[in-house]
Amino acid sequence: MKKEDLKIVFMGTPEFAVGTLQRLVEGGYNVVAVVTQPDKPVGRHQDTLQPSEVKRYALEHGLPVLQPEKMKDPVFVEELRSYCADLQVVVAFRMLPEVVWDMPRFGTFNVHAALLPQYRGAAPINWAVINGETMTGVTTFFLDHDIDTGRIIMQKPFPIPDDADVEYVYDGLMHLGADIAVETIDRILEGDGQVEAVPQEEWNATHLQTLKPAPKIFKETCRIDWNKSAKQVYDFVRGLSPYPGAWTTLISPDGKETVLKVFKTAKVDAAKTGSAIHVEGKKLLVGGLELIEIQLTGKKRMQAKDFLNGFRDIEKYTIA
């Protein structure tokens, strides 16, 4: 079968998914429809609807777009079925019911931003950096009933430098994800719909890994625990930078509390713990870290050295 004959439905929402969709379109693959989240209400009064990045790209390239509120909606299911897809490709989308992922004759595969079975869940890139991993990657796997547990088709590794933040890893995996999606489709084409895929239980039995999860990140998840070592806090900060951002509470001498976001630090004493504030010249030190880029609530993100110009008595403050 030629790629022009393979009918593909693509499913995804954020910018991360656009890289793969773009590669398929520009590579001449037959994307017959795109499924993405409904437009999101934004603005002060929530009266403006903002389309997803995937929808923007799809419309710019004349692709049909489906935006179901519920994936089991019979109207949506029948409309999806009408495209007679041979294969569905999923990147950064929601969990699919069996009636959807089992629809194409060649199945549905997902591009996951981790080396499964490690980091199953909604935030694999963040947690890999937070945990100080030196290697992550992308995985393609066939969807089944549970989240991120299906048979592995392919993997590609991606090194994480010690000074890399989530933005760096995100960009790298976005491009690597597009590569692996195309290679996976080509394998499926070469096998006329058949491709070798390994159950994750067998995969992990070979690699003998202690599995680490990647749950969704909430505001409270992002609060810095200064009882951890400076190295752990350093990894935590870069694992949440630039978004959603690690934060702590800055407390003035009179007890006023302000949220302080921390986007970049440098290790001074990696094993040190604690939240004592100290200033050396134009360096703002907390525990065993130098804070480099920070942001007070209501203020712009700035260099810590500029922040010190307005907080000359910062050593009288505490951090919690």
Side-chain angles (χ1 to χ4, degrees):
M1 178 183 289
K2 297 180 180 179
K3 63 183 181 181
E4 295 85 1
D5 299 324
L6 183 75
K7 295 181 180 179
I8 299 172
V9 166
F10 181 86
M11 300 184 181
T13 295
E15 178 190 19
F16 188 88
V18 175
T20 299
L21 178 58
Q22 180 178 359
R23 189 73 63 84
L24 296 181
V25 171
E26 293 181 355
Y29 293 86
N30 185 18
V31 180
V32 295
V34 170
V35 182
T36 190
Q37 294 278 42
D39 294 356
K40 183 179 179 180
V42 295
R44 184 176 180 182
H45 302 291
Q46 300 285 287
D47 54 358
T48 301
L49 294 178
Q50 179 175 289
S52 71
E53 293 300 317
V54 162
K55 180 180 179 180
R56 291 179 192 273
Y57 182 88
L59 293 180
E60 288 172 0
H61 292 80
L63 300 174
V65 176
L66 286 67
Q67 296 178 273
E69 290 283 350
K70 296 181 179 180
M71 298 302 291
K72 291 183 179 181
D73 181 348
V75 175
F76 161 70
V77 171
E78 286 309 308
E79 185 176 9
L80 181 64
R81 198 184 306 277
S82 71
Y83 287 98
C84 301
D86 301 301
L87 179 71
Q88 289 175 160
V89 179
V90 180
V91 184
F93 197 52
R94 64 174 100 169
M95 187 175 180
L96 303 181
E98 182 175 3
V99 68
V100 172
W101 57 255
D102 194 45
M103 189 180 296
R105 60 176 179 149
F106 296 154
T108 300
F109 77 78
N110 185 88
V111 177
H112 187 73
L115 298 175
L116 290 173
Q118 288 288 17
Y119 295 107
R120 293 169 175 161
I125 302 176
N126 299 92
W127 286 108
V129 180
I130 288 171
N131 288 335
E133 302 287 1
T134 59
M135 186 70 68
T136 185
V138 288
T139 303
T140 51
F141 69 97
F142 284 115
L143 293 188
D144 62 13
H145 293 93
D146 298 314
I147 297 176
D148 301 334
T149 60
R151 294 172 295 129
I152 293 174
I153 307 168
M154 290 182 65
Q155 289 191 334
K156 283 182 175 291
F158 182 84
I160 305 176
D162 183 64
D163 61 349
D165 61 13
V166 161
E167 186 172 41
Y168 172 89
V169 182
Y170 180 99
D171 289 345
L173 294 187
M174 179 173 66
H175 292 100
L176 196 61
D179 291 342
I180 199 171
V182 169
E183 289 185 32
T184 298
I185 292 171
D186 288 345
R187 280 195 184 184
I188 292 171
L189 285 169
E190 290 169 7
D192 196 24
Q194 301 299 314
V195 65
E196 183 179 358
V198 181
Q200 290 192 31
E201 294 77 9
E202 293 182 18
W203 190 278
N204 198 45
T206 302
H207 295 76
L208 297 176
Q209 299 174 322
T210 298
L211 299 186
K212 301 172 185 177
K216 187 175 181 179
I217 290 175
F218 300 94
K219 180 181 178 181
E220 194 57 34
T221 312
C222 302
R223 185 166 192 162
I224 298 171
D225 180 359
W226 295 102
N227 292 315
K228 294 186 175 182
S229 71
K231 171 65 166 66
Q232 289 173 309
V233 176
Y234 171 81
D235 291 334
F236 186 78
V237 168
R238 66 193 183 99
L240 296 168
S241 180
Y243 182 83
W247 64 274
T248 189
T249 303
L250 186 65
I251 307 172
S252 68
D254 61 2
K256 183 179 179 181
E257 296 185 358
T258 307
V259 170
L260 178 71
K261 283 196 170 186
V262 183
F263 295 99
K264 188 175 182 180
T265 67
K267 297 188 292 290
V268 177
D269 184 346
K272 190 174 181 180
T273 61
S275 59
I277 300 175
H278 181 60
V279 177
E280 290 184 3
K282 292 189 176 182
K283 292 183 178 181
L284 175 58
L285 306 177
V286 177
L289 293 175
E290 177 190 355
L291 306 193
I292 297 176
E293 291 183 19
I294 56 179
Q295 181 180 21
L296 277 176
T297 298
K299 303 293 183 179
K300 293 182 179 180
R301 179 172 170 175
M302 66 178 71
Q303 296 292 309
K305 61 182 181 180
D306 297 325
F307 169 83
L308 290 176
N309 293 331
F311 281 82
R312 297 186 183 277
D313 59 347
I314 189 65
E315 289 179 307
K316 296 179 181 179
Y317 285 65
T318 57
I319 279 181

